[in-house]
Amino acid sequence: PMMGGAPEGSERGGVELLSREQVGVYDVSVLSSDEPGALLEWLNENGYAFPEEGQPILEAYVAEGWYFMATRVLPGEAAQLEGDVQPLWLSFDAEQAVYPMRLTSLIDRYMDVLIYVLADHRMEIAASDFEPEFAGELTLKAVAAEGAELNTLLTGRSYYVTKLRSWDFRPWDMTDDLY
């Protein structure tokens, strides 16, 4: 689907818009870029107000060949953020499990971060202060309100679920992603 702007698959000044769609109250764009400056410009032109001090982080991700998911609340939908908000499920191929966190280094206050990992075994985050709050095998049941794809993924097998939390996460210390 397309929500204004350039059509999917279009390229403009070093940024390729691979997809753009509305997911609940979110405007979600998937991008690739080989020019960090052009990516920063695209983000700012499309309502993301990305800080210029984040450009070195974008440069590193671009140099490493990452794709980008830009997500923002749709105009006029902020009132819908009270209570439960539809979660976003993001998956991508990687050599090892990774949670991209370098951009959080631009935040200057402590955060509470909670991560659930579904895998074939217990998971830990290397070199971090994330404490496991739960680790065990679970069989998940389908949730009627969820889509067929999620129900198919969750049912019919056991998962080893690891719940990891950092109550006083210091984002300004992030120099790498969480592996």
Side-chain angles (χ1 to χ4, degrees):
M2 190 181 111
M3 294 179 27
E8 289 179 20
S10 67
E11 190 164 342
R12 182 180 163 272
V15 176
E16 184 177 0
L17 178 62
L18 302 171
S19 69
R20 187 169 189 181
E21 60 186 292
Q22 180 176 339
V23 179
V25 298
Y26 302 108
D27 172 9
V28 179
S29 296
V30 178
L31 312 160
S32 69
S33 178
D34 57 4
E35 298 176 29
L39 180 58
L40 181 64
E41 183 179 323
W42 188 97
L43 291 167
N44 286 324
E45 287 177 359
N46 285 275
Y48 292 92
F50 193 86
E52 209 163 304
E53 59 267 21
Q55 188 161 350
I57 300 168
L58 287 183
E59 289 172 0
Y61 278 129
V62 167
E64 294 166 14
W66 283 73
Y67 289 86
F68 302 88
M69 184 177 92
T71 305
R72 66 183 183 137
V73 176
L74 290 161
E77 294 290 336
Q80 300 296 321
L81 293 178
E82 294 294 325
D84 292 336
V85 177
Q86 178 181 359
L88 296 174
W89 183 293
L90 175 64
S91 64
F92 53 92
D93 292 331
E95 290 180 18
Q96 58 182 326
V98 59
Y99 193 84
M101 291 288 285
R102 279 181 265 179
L103 285 172
T104 63
S105 68
L106 303 175
I107 298 170
D108 63 356
R109 66 186 185 286
Y110 287 96
M111 299 170 47
D112 293 335
V113 179
L114 174 62
I115 299 174
Y116 287 91
V117 182
L118 280 64
D120 295 327
H121 52 81
R122 178 188 172 118
M123 301 291 281
E124 293 181 1
I125 297 177
S128 78
D129 60 352
F130 279 79
E131 296 293 328
E133 289 190 349
F134 174 83
E137 196 166 335
L138 295 176
T139 301
L140 303 172
K141 293 184 178 180
V143 179
E146 299 298 334
E149 183 179 319
L150 182 58
N151 281 332
T152 300
L153 178 68
L154 294 179
T155 58
R157 67 172 281 202
S158 292
Y159 287 95
Y160 202 94
V161 177
T162 309
K163 177 182 177 183
L164 300 154
R165 182 179 299 245
S166 178
W167 286 102
D168 294 314
F169 183 74
R170 298 173 306 279
W172 55 87
D173 288 341
M174 289 306 301
T175 58
D176 202 357
D177 299 309
L178 300 177
Y179 290 91

